[in-house]
C-alpha cells in the first residue's frame, strides 16, 4: 500500500473516499471537516444537528458526495471528547475510518490528519498515529483458503492531506515513522499467525535471515551443535522432544559504534507448545502456534530499528524451538544446565519458555548486553491477572522498568508492572538443583519472570509477559480480532529511540541505569 502526504485541501483530492473526523459534542465542525462540510452544502452539520452522528469514539458514517467533491464518498469518524484526545485515540480513529472506507469498496483514500489541529497532540505525533492506525487497521492475514471468499478490493493508496505548509515537514516525518513501525508490526503479525507446520524454527530463522538481508542487519543462526558447544542445556532440553532442530537467531544493529552500551531484545520463539510430556489439554491447544509471538516481536522491532536508525547498539535474540512430547523428550524430574552453569530441575515440561529464555538471556549477557528486555507468551496466569488489556512487566531494576513504561506509554501499548519481592524466590528453590522451573500456582507470572531473571546477573533486565496481549484482543480498530496483534514491536522500537535520544541529550555515551 502506498502512503503519501500532499499539501492540498482534502475536499480537492481525487480519491474514492475522503475521511474526516469530528469530536463528540461539536455542533459546528472546523478545519478539514468544515471544508468538506461546506463542499457538501452543510450535510455534515445537518447530520450532527439531527443527532445522526455524535462523534463518539470510532463511530463512523458514510455520506455520498453526489458530484460535489471529486471523491464519491465521505467517511466521517468520531474522535470522542476533545479533552480526551491523545495519540491512541487518533490511532484508533484513523483505523476505524480507513476500515470503513475499505468496507464501502474504496481503493484510494484521502484522510485528514485527525486531531492535528486540536493542539493537544503535535502534528508530527498526530501524523504518526494516523499512519500507524491506517497501516495496522488495513492488515489482513492471507491464510490458506483455496478459494478466496468474496472480498472488497484492497486499499492501494492512502493520502494524508495537510493544508498548512508549515506543518508539512512534520506530517511527512511522522507519517514515515508511523508507517515503518506499523509495517514492522504487521511483519511480526504474519510470522505469529503462521501455523506451526508453516513456521518451524528453521522457517523462523530463514525469515530472520531474509529480513536482515533486506534491511541491512547482521544475522547469524546458532545450530544445535553450537548450542551444545556453548552448554545451552536448558534450550536443548526443550528441543529434545521434537524432530525439528532448534535455532538461536542473533541479530545485530550497530547505531553507535564505539559505545559500550548494548540493548538486548530477547523473544520467546516457541513455534509450537504442546506442553511436552506434561501435555496440554486439547481444547485451544491450536493457539499455541502463537507461542513465538515474543520472538516475532523482537524480529519486528529489529526491522523497525534498522529503518529508523537510532544511535544505539541493539542485539536481538530469538531462541526458536518446538515443545513436543516425542520419545526423546525431557521429563519431569530431569535436571538441565544452562550456559551460565546454573542447574534447573524440570518440574513441568510445559514451563518451557523460561528454559529457552534462560539460555538466551545468559548468552546475551555474554555478548556484552548492558540492558535487557525479554518478551514472551510466558504464563496463562498473566491472562488471569491482567486479562487481554495489558502486558505484564517484571524487572530487577526500577529505573529500567520505568524506561520501559515510558516507551509503552508513548505507543499506547499498555504495560503493568508486578512486584519482585525476595520471598517469591522460596517458591522455586529445588532440593536437587540450583532452582526448579516452576513455583506452583501462586504468583505464576512473577515467579516465571523471576526465574528468567536468575540468568542475567546484575544486568538491568525487564520481562514482558504478552500471554494476554499477543492475540485475541477485541474492540480496538487497529487490532485484528482472534489473530496475532504484533504487540510490543512498537514499544521495543520506541525504547531504542528513547535510549538514542537520552544518549544525545547526555551529550556522550548513554549510561546504563543503576
Ligand atoms: N505458552 C504457555 C503460556 C500461555 C498459556 C500463553 C496460554 C498464552 C495462553 C507457557 O509455555 C506455559 O505453558 N505456561 C504454563 C506455566 C506453568 C506450567 C508453570 C502455564 O501458564 O500454565
Ligand atoms: Zn509456551
Ligand atoms: Mn508451555
Amino acid at each position: 500500500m502506498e502512503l503519501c502526504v500532499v499539501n492540498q485541501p482534502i475536499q480537492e483530492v481525487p480519491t474514492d473516499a475522503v475521511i474526516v473526523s469530528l469530536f463528540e459534542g461539536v455542533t459546528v465542525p472546523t478545519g478539514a471537516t468544515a471544508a468538506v462540510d461546506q463542499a457538501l452544502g452543510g450535510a455534515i452539520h445537518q447530520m450532527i444537528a439531527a443527532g445522526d452522528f455524535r462523534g463518539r469514539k470510532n463511530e463512523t458514517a458514510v455520506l455520498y458526495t453526489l458530484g460535489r467533491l471529486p471523491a464519491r464518498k465521505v467517511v466521517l469518524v468520531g474522535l470522542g471528547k476533545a479533552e480526551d484526545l491523545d495519540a491512541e485515540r487518533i490511532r484508533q480513529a484513523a483505523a476505524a475510518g480507513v476500515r470503513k472506507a475499505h468496507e464501502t469498496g474504496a481503493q484510494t483514500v484521502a484522510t485528514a490528519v485527525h486531531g492535528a489541529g486540536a493542539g493537544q497532540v503535535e502534528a508530527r505525533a498526530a501524523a504518526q498515529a494516523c499512519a500507524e492506525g491506517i497501516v495496522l487497521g488495513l492488515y489482513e492475514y492471507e491464510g490458506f483458503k483455496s478459494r478466496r471468499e468474496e472480498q472488497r478490493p484492497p486499499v492501494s493508496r492512502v493520502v494524508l492531506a495537510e493544508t498548512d505548509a508549515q506543518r508539512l515537514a512534520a506530517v511527512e516525518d511522522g507519517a514515515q515513522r508511523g508507517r515503518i513501525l506499523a509495517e514492522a508490526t504487521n511483519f511480526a503479525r504474519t510470522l505469529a499467525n503462521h501455523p506451526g507446520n508453516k513456521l518451524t524454527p528453521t522457517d523462523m530463522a530463514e525469515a530472520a535471515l531474509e529480513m536482515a538481508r533486506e534491511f541491512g542487519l547482521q544475522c547469524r543462526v546458532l545450530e544445535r551443535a553450537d548450542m551444545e558447544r556453548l552448554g545451552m542445556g536448558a534450550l536443548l532440553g526443550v528441543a529434545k522432544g521434537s524432530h525439528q532442530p532448534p535455532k538461536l537467531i542473533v541479530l545485530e544493529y550497530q547505531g553507535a559504534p564505539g559505545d559500550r552500551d548494548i540493548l538486548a531484545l530477547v523473544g520467546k520463539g516457541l513455534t509450537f507448545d504442546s506442553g511436552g510430556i506434561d501435555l496440554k489439554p486439547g481444547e485451544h491447544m491450536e493457539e499455541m502456534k502463537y507461542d513465538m509471538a515474543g520472538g516475532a516481536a523482537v524480529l519486528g522491532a529489529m526491522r523497525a530499528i534498522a529503518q529508523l536508525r537510532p544511535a544505539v547498539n541493539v542485539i536481538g535474540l530469538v531462541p526458536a524451538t518446538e515443545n513436543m512430547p516425542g520419545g526423546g523428550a525431557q521429563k519431569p524430574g530431569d535436571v538441565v544446565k544452562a550456559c551460565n552453569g546454573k542447574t534447573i530441575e524440570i518440574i513441568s515440561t510445559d514451563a518451557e519458555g523460561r528454559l529457552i529464555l534462560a539460555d538466551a538471556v545468559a548468552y546475551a549477557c555474554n555478548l556484552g548486553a548492558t540492558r535487557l528486555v525479554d518478551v514472551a507468551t510466558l504464563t496463562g496466569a498473566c491472562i488471569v491477572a491482567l486479562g487481554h488489556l495489558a502486558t505484564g512487566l517484571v524487572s530487577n531494576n526500577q529505573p529500567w522498568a520505568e524506561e520501559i513504561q515510558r516507551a509503552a506509554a508513548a505507543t499506547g501499548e499498555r504495560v503493568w508492572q508486578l512486584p519482585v519481592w525476595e520471598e517469591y524466590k522460596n517458591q522455586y528453590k529445588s532440593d536437587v538443583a540450583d532452582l526448579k522451573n516452576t513455583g506452583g500456582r501462586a504468583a505464576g507470572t512473577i515467579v516465571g519472570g523471576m526465574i528468567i531473571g536468575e540468568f542475567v546477573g546484575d544486568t538491568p533486565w525487564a520481562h514482558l509477559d504478552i500471554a494476554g496481549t499477543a492475540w485475541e484482543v477485541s474492540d480496538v480498530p487497529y487490532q485484528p480480532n482472534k489473530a496475532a496483534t504484533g504487540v510490543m514491536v512498537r514499544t521495543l522500537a520506541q525504547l531504542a529511540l528513547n535510549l538514542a535520544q537520552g544518549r544525545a541529550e547526555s551529550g556522550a555515551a548513554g549510561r546504563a541505569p543503576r
Side-chain angles (χ1 to χ4, degrees):
M1 190 195 72
E2 194 195 333
L3 181 75
C4 61
V5 178
V6 296
N7 186 10
Q8 196 181 4
I10 190 163
Q11 69 276 15
E12 292 172 15
V13 186
T15 49
D16 295 338
V18 303
I19 309 173
V20 288
S21 52
L22 198 77
F23 286 117
E24 189 174 342
V26 167
T27 49
V28 184
T30 55
T33 313
V36 170
D37 186 40
Q38 206 167 32
L40 290 176
I44 295 176
H45 188 97
Q46 246 183 50
M47 263 189 102
I48 301 167
D52 292 333
F53 190 83
R54 294 171 189 277
R56 293 206 175 111
K57 287 193 255 182
N58 307 331
E59 179 185 0
T60 54
V62 181
L63 292 95
Y64 290 79
T65 60
L66 308 176
R68 289 169 184 255
L69 266 67
R72 290 197 27 233
K73 291 168 196 173
V74 170
V75 174
L76 202 53
V77 59
L79 277 173
K81 299 209 172 74
E83 61 265 31
D84 297 339
L85 185 76
D86 60 8
E88 176 65 11
R89 288 249 39 80
I90 296 170
R91 193 176 292 114
Q92 291 196 17
V98 80
R99 282 170 75 140
K100 189 72 193 176
H102 171 57
E103 241 173 67
T104 71
Q107 287 171 266
T108 59
V109 177
T111 178
V113 182
H114 308 305
Q120 285 127 289
V121 181
E122 274 182 282
R124 182 187 313 265
Q128 181 182 335
C130 250
E132 287 171 0
I134 290 162
V135 176
L136 295 172
L138 290 174
Y139 173 80
E140 267 176 78
Y141 179 63
E142 271 195 23
F144 298 88
K145 287 185 196 284
S146 55
R147 268 161 36 94
R148 275 177 83 83
E149 278 152 22
E150 199 272 317
Q151 259 176 5
R152 298 293 187 177
V155 174
S156 57
R157 191 174 136 85
V158 179
V159 180
L160 297 184
E162 174 56 60
T163 45
D164 187 345
Q166 310 236 282
R167 281 210 296 238
L168 208 60
V171 167
E172 256 161 17
D173 193 63
Q176 179 67 5
R177 179 183 281 208
R179 179 239 282 272
I180 288 170
L181 289 163
E183 283 176 354
T185 305
N186 288 345
F187 167 77
R189 285 172 169 180
T190 295
L191 288 177
N193 283 330
H194 285 327
N197 65 332
K198 302 289 177 186
L199 192 90
T200 61
T202 303
D203 297 321
M204 199 167 180
E206 267 166 25
L209 284 163
E210 194 190 312
M211 183 276 286
R213 242 193 326 273
E214 190 177 346
F215 296 94
L217 293 166
Q218 298 289 328
C219 181
R220 60 203 165 85
V221 177
L222 305 193
E223 304 292 335
R224 196 194 301 268
D226 301 311
M227 298 172 202
E228 279 163 3
R229 190 171 41 77
L230 291 162
M232 297 182 169
L235 171 50
L236 286 166
V238 174
K240 273 172 71 184
S242 169
H243 290 299
Q244 294 293 337
K247 307 278 169 175
L248 176 56
I249 302 161
V250 184
L251 290 158
E252 284 179 46
Y253 166 77
Q254 273 233 331
D259 188 341
R260 63 167 281 276
D261 272 340
I262 299 176
L263 166 66
L265 308 177
V266 187
K268 173 176 174 182
L270 225 296
T271 61
F272 186 75
D273 181 12
S274 73
I277 292 298
D278 289 301
L279 197 64
K280 287 181 181 293
E283 204 181 346
H284 299 305
M285 202 207 269
E286 72 284 355
E287 292 184 346
M288 286 301 116
K289 70 178 177 181
Y290 296 123
D291 212 18
M292 35 56 72
V298 167
L299 297 186
M302 293 302 289
R303 184 187 196 265
I305 289 166
Q307 289 186 277
L308 295 169
R309 308 213 60 79
V312 280
N313 300 321
V314 190
I315 55 177
L317 289 91
V318 181
T321 178
E322 288 183 337
N323 184 24
M324 294 291 280
Q330 71 178 354
K331 305 165 291 295
D334 284 1
V335 173
V336 295
K337 190 195 272 189
C339 67
N340 67 346
K342 280 201 184 181
T343 55
I344 313 167
E345 180 188 8
I346 308 298
I347 300 300
S348 171
T349 63
D350 198 11
E352 83 298 337
R354 57 203 74 183
L355 295 170
I356 69 172
L357 287 167
D359 269 326
V361 296
Y363 185 59
C365 292
N366 289 344
L367 293 180
T370 51
R371 301 177 239 225
L372 289 128
V373 188
D374 80 73
V375 195
T377 46
L378 203 81
T379 63
C382 195
I383 312 177
V384 176
L386 301 172
H388 298 287
L389 294 184
T391 294
L393 168 62
V394 171
S395 174
N396 64 356
N397 182 294
Q398 196 53 27
W400 184 228
E402 282 164 19
E403 193 70 46
I404 312 289
Q405 285 174 304
R406 198 161 70 84
T411 61
E413 297 189 312
R414 284 201 183 102
V415 160
W416 196 259
Q417 192 178 0
L418 301 168
V420 173
W421 289 312
E422 196 67 21
E423 290 89 333
Y424 288 122
K425 291 192 175 178
N426 297 330
Q427 286 181 231
Y428 56 86
K429 279 191 178 144
S430 165
D431 295 332
V432 297
D434 295 333
L435 52 116
K436 54 186 187 180
N437 79 330
T438 66
R441 287 167 66 89
T445 303
I446 296 170
V447 169
M450 285 175 72
I451 290 174
I452 300 169
E454 294 289 338
F455 295 83
V456 300
D458 294 328
T459 315
W461 153 86
H463 158 70
L464 294 166
D465 193 330
I466 58 169
T469 48
W471 75 94
E472 184 88 57
V473 180
S474 52
D475 287 344
V476 180
Y478 64 79
Q479 299 285 32
N481 209 0
K482 293 191 175 160
T485 58
V487 74
M488 291 301 128
V489 169
R490 290 184 298 120
T491 293
L492 294 178
Q494 185 66 44
L495 181 66
L497 292 169
N498 287 353
L499 290 179
Q501 179 91 36
R503 196 174 162 270
E505 276 161 16
S506 73
R511 281 162 288 116
R514 260 152 261 282

